[in-house]
Every structure is written in structure tokens, then in C-alpha cells.
Amino acid sequence: MAEVVLFHHALGLTPGIVAFADRLRAAGHTVHTPDMYEGRLFDTVEAGVAHAQQVGFEEVVGRGVRAAEGVAPGAFYAGYSLGAMPAQLLAQTRPGAAGAVLLAGCVPATEFGPGWPAQVPVQIHAAEADPWFAEDAEAARELAAGAEAGELFRYPGDEHLFLDSSAPGYDAEAAELVLQRVLGLLATAA
């Protein structure tokens, strides 16, 4: 079974993120859910982003990276929106990373070095018309194309938090499909 570090989105470590982690745990995986907001939760993406700006995005990402320090090589790194940054950074730069799952977020691979390591599998999931993902879409296409096992999945709708069962806009059908695809990726762990 795989070891996964799952980083939360701008609302914080919500019950919906914990529920997604619990579904992965129920399938036999070990899942860590670091709280990069130190217990703070927000009602809107805008309020959560404002908090991240106040703390500093570099610090928020740094909290995620530090939280993963004790995780053994061979882990998968997953992140939702804001959490995609530490997940992508770790999967891209940590030796032995097993793969990445980027949910509604992606930055150009050059943000964290010369490019995505081709041998590291990556799945990227986002709603087709998500306005928060619009500026990430090209980077996501390039990253998926640069990985030997890179996949970009788009889902109907415009909800940014469609995978979080505790957030407005949750789409149970799409979330289940994402879960099954992620479980398929995790099943590739040695």
C-alpha cells in the first residue's frame, strides 16, 4: 500500500479534505494530512487566500514541506489548489517520490527547478470551467505531457472545490471518479 501526504486547499484542513483522506485510508493507504494553517478554517476561497497572503505563500508552502520531512522516500504527494504547490514541489524535487496528484492547482514545472522528472507519474484533476484553475491549465497540460505517466482529467462544471464534501459546490459523482482514478495511481506503488 502507498504512503500519501495530502495538502489542503485555501479553506484549510476541512472535514471534506479529512473525509477524502479517510477514503484513501479505507483502501489501505497511509495518509498524512498536514495542517498548513495551524487550525484556521475559512468560509470562502477568497478569505483563505487572503490568509495565505498575510502569512506568506512561501511560509505556507514551507509548512507543508516541513510537515513532510519525516515521510520516507517512495511517498505520493497530493494537494488541492493551494496544497498543490507543496505537493508539486515535493514530488518534483524529493528523490524517490512515487508520484503526484494535483487537484485544481498546478504551477509551471520550472517554478521548482528545470522541469518535471519524467519518471514521476502525475495526475491532475480540475473542473472544466473552474475560474481559479484557468491560469493553471496550460502548466497542467505541459506537466502532464512531460511525464511518462502524466494524466490531466477535466470534469464538467465550474466549481473549484467540487471534491470537498464539506464545501459548497461539492459534486459527489465527480469526486467518486477522482477517487477511483487516484486509487488506480496509488495501486502502482511498489
Side-chain angles (χ1 to χ4, degrees), residues 10 28 74 78 126 179 186:
L179 177 70
L186 298 181

Side-chain angles (χ1 to χ4, degrees), residues 3-145:
E3 186 166 15
V4 181
V5 182
L6 174 62
F7 298 100
H8 62 76
H9 49 59
L11 299 186
L13 186 57
T14 63
I17 294 294
V18 174
F20 188 82
D22 286 344
R23 295 283 309 273
L24 298 175
R25 289 179 184 115
H29 303 290
T30 299
V31 184
H32 309 276
T33 53
D35 187 348
M36 299 180 298
Y37 279 5
E38 300 175 333
R40 301 277 313 264
L41 293 173
F42 298 90
D43 293 330
T44 67
V45 173
E46 293 80 5
V49 169
H51 173 72
Q53 288 172 326
Q54 180 183 12
V55 171
F57 284 108
E58 188 173 307
E59 172 59 22
V60 172
V61 171
R63 288 175 183 175
V65 170
R66 288 189 297 276
E69 285 177 354
V71 175
F76 286 84
Y77 298 97
Y80 198 154
S81 187
L82 172 71
M85 288 193 300
Q88 185 175 335
L89 170 65
L90 289 164
Q92 189 172 330
T93 63
R94 186 172 264 188
V101 175
L102 306 178
L103 307 165
C106 183
V107 297
T110 54
E111 186 80 17
F112 303 124
W116 187 261
Q119 75 281 4
V120 176
V122 61
Q123 282 187 355
I124 306 165
H125 303 266
E128 283 286 348
D130 175 359
W132 288 94
F133 188 76
E135 65 186 55
D136 299 348
E138 183 59 31
R141 282 189 288 278
E142 290 175 10
L143 198 145

Side-chain angles (χ1 to χ4, degrees), residues 143-162:
L143 198 145
E148 293 168 7
E151 298 175 289
L152 173 59
F153 299 105
R154 301 299 297 267
Y155 302 85
D158 63 357
E159 292 293 337
H160 187 59
L161 302 179
F162 74 103

